[in-house]
Structures are given as structure tokens and as C-alpha cells.
């Protein structure tokens, strides 16, 4: 009987959590770049203020003497930033109420995001997979898993790349140089994201975000795992 009741609870939809000022979590953040780059640090995330749709949070590296960084995020932990002069959502890991099978999409395009690209577009398809157990440094939790798959595209900016090399002939070595013109063309790659949301913790206790280049090789992976929490209520 208890098992049946527990199963029915986990099958129900999950609403927006009662976030409060003072809610705080410690996360271990790991960044992997290419095959060699690796860094890890603990971050303290604290809710400073809760508004009607958004909240102000502070992020501080554990043990650092520097002041925390304050930022506005949605109650669904969505992130927004300026895209071509307009605030647009660039990441939306949760879409309440959460229920198995629910889907949503995040799309955005940006002009001249950097010197190498004249345009970048990102497409993300999110889906709620269902309940599963997840293990993180803070312990083992029953979580509802959300996954996202998508694609990025970029238009290369025109450029001239200077290169040089040695030309070897019998009895002689000559240095030669040349300029290679990069013409505008479109390249693309894939991305993958996963989030494990625990209602009792008011947010996801683990997340993974992966980005793949035009050859299908992983260029970056960002992993976040909860180490501890202190909730205001």
C-alpha cells in the first residue's frame, strides 16, 4: 500500500517551489574543455530576494574573499541576457508544472556575438523524462529528470589568416608565407543538457551541459552537483 501511494505521488505534476530569501545551496562545479582542460570549485548560491516572476540570487566561490556576484534569474531557474538589444531566455531547465512527457523549446539567434562569427543560432528541445534516483555529494534523492537536445549554427566572419612555413629543397631551406582568405560559411554542432530536479530542495541537485563541435567532438562539459543545502522554509 505504501509503495502504491509513493508511486502515485511521484507520478503527479510538480508546481513552482516556495522559494524564500535565505534559501542557500553549495554546488560543486566542474568544467571540462576539450580533452585536457579541467577545473573544479565549490559555489554558494543564495536567494536574496523573490519577486513575482523572478528572483535575485548571489553566487560566491566557497572560501573566496571576493564579494558575491548578484544576478536575476527566473523562478524556474531560467537565464536571460541581452540578445540584439532585447532580453531573451537562453536557458530554461524547468517549465512548471513539471510532469512526465511535458515538452518546451528555447530558441534564439544573435548577430555578431564575437569576432569569429557574424551570427549564431541555438535550438533546444526539452522534455521531462520522469522520476529516477540520483546520487550527488549531498546524498541520494528521488528526482524528476529533464533532458534537452539541440543544435547550434554559426556563420563564419570573413577574415584573412596569415600563415608561414619552411620549404625544403636540396641544400637550401626557404621560409614562405601566405595569406588564406576565410569566406563566410555556415557551420553547426550539437548540444545536450540534463537536469535532476528535487522538489524538496526547490531546484535541481545535478545538471550536465555538453557542447559538440562541427565534427561531433565534445568541446565543453559543465557539471553541477549539490554538496549541501540550507533552506529557509
Amino acid at each position: 500500500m505504501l509503495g502504491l501511494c509513493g508511486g502515485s505521488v511521484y507520478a503527479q505534476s510538480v508546481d513552482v517551489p516556495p522559494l524564500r530569501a535565505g534559501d542557500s545551496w553549495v554546488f560543486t562545479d566542474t568544467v571540462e574543455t576539450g580533452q585536457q582542460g579541467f577545473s573544479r570549485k565549490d559555489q554558494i548560491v543564495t536567494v536574496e530576494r523573490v519577486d513575482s516572476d523572478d528572483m535575485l540570487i548571489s553566487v560566491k566561490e566557497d572560501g573566496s574573499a571576493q564579494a558575491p556576484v548578484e544576478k536575476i534569474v527566473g523562478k524556474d531557474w531560467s537565464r536571460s541576457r541581452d540578445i540584439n538589444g532585447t532580453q531573451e531566455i537562453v536557458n530554461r531547465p524547468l517549465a512548471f508544472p513539471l510532469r512526465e512527457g511535458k515538452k518546451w523549446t528555447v530558441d534564439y539567434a544573435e548577430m555578431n556575438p564575437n569576432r569569429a562569427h557574424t551570427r549564431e543560432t541555438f535550438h533546444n528541445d526539452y522534455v521531462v523524462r520522469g522520476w529516477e534516483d540520483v546520487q550527488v555529494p549531498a546524498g541520494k534523492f528521488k528526482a524528476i529528470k529533464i533532458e534537452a537536445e539541440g543544435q547550434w549554427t554559426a556563420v563564419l566572419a570573413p577574415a584573412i589568416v596569415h600563415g608561414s612555413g619552411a620549404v625544403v629543397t636540396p641544400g637550401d631551406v626557404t621560409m614562405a608565407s601566405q595569406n588564406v582568405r576565410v569566406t563566410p560559411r555556415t557551420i553547426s554542432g550539437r548540444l545536450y543538457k540534463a537536469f535532476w530536479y528535487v522538489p524538496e530542495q526547490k531546484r535541481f541537485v545535478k545538471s550536465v551541459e555538453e557542447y559538440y563541435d562541427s565534427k561531433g567532438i565534445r568541446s565543453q562539459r559543465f557539471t553541477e552537483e549539490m554538496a549541501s543545502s540550507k533552506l529557509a522554509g
Side-chain angles (χ1 to χ4, degrees):
M1 186 66 180
L2 289 175
L4 291 175
C5 290
S8 64
V9 169
Y10 289 127
Q12 294 174 356
S13 63
V14 177
D15 293 325
V16 178
L19 292 155
R20 293 182 172 86
D23 287 342
S24 183
W25 307 262
V26 178
F27 285 92
T28 299
D29 291 352
T30 303
V31 179
E32 300 168 79
T33 303
Q35 302 302 311
Q36 304 296 329
F38 181 90
S39 66
R40 177 171 289 166
K41 60 185 177 181
D42 287 346
Q43 300 256 60
I44 304 172
V45 180
T46 303
V47 176
E48 302 293 342
R49 184 183 72 238
V50 179
D51 301 320
S52 57
D53 297 317
D54 303 315
M55 57 183 173
L56 178 69
I57 65 170
S58 64
V59 181
K60 176 181 174 63
E61 185 175 348
D62 194 13
S64 173
Q66 294 185 348
V69 175
E70 295 186 336
K71 60 180 71 175
I72 294 176
V73 300
K75 286 185 178 179
D76 54 5
W77 295 97
S78 58
R79 301 197 305 265
S80 301
R81 65 180 180 86
D82 177 83
I83 302 291
N84 307 321
T86 302
Q87 289 290 316
E88 292 191 29
I89 292 176
V90 297
N91 197 355
R92 191 184 184 192
L94 310 171
F96 295 105
L98 296 172
R99 58 182 179 274
E100 187 172 351
K102 184 174 182 177
K103 298 179 180 180
W104 63 95
T105 300
V106 173
D107 289 296
Y108 65 94
E110 186 171 10
M111 302 300 296
N112 302 308
N114 51 58
R115 295 178 61 184
H117 301 154
T118 59
R119 178 183 172 89
E120 289 181 347
T121 62
F122 289 85
H123 174 82
N124 304 261
D125 289 318
Y126 292 81
V127 60
V128 179
R129 295 298 185 190
W131 294 92
E132 68 177 41
D133 293 329
V134 60
Q135 183 73 48
V136 295
K140 187 176 182 179
F141 297 91
K142 178 71 72 172
I144 188 166
K145 185 179 181 181
I146 299 96
E147 286 187 300
E149 295 184 3
Q151 177 175 309
W152 62 265
T153 61
V155 179
L156 295 179
I160 296 178
V161 180
H162 178 75
S164 61
V167 178
V168 181
T169 58
D172 191 20
V173 177
T174 304
M175 296 300 296
S177 63
Q178 62 177 348
N179 292 326
V180 178
R181 182 180 297 275
V182 177
T183 58
R185 63 185 179 90
T186 301
I187 59 175
S188 65
R190 306 291 300 176
L191 57 88
Y192 170 82
K193 302 176 183 179
F195 305 87
W196 288 263
Y197 179 78
V198 176
E200 296 79 10
Q201 294 297 323
K202 303 185 183 182
R203 64 158 297 167
F204 43 88
V205 300
K206 180 179 179 179
S207 68
V208 177
E209 299 188 34
E210 299 173 343
Y211 296 87
Y212 295 83
D213 66 17
S214 57
K215 297 181 180 180
I217 299 174
R218 177 176 58 80
S219 56
Q220 286 185 310
R221 177 190 287 136
F222 302 89
T223 304
E224 183 179 71
E225 295 182 304
M226 191 178 77
S228 64
S229 66
K230 184 179 180 180
L231 305 181

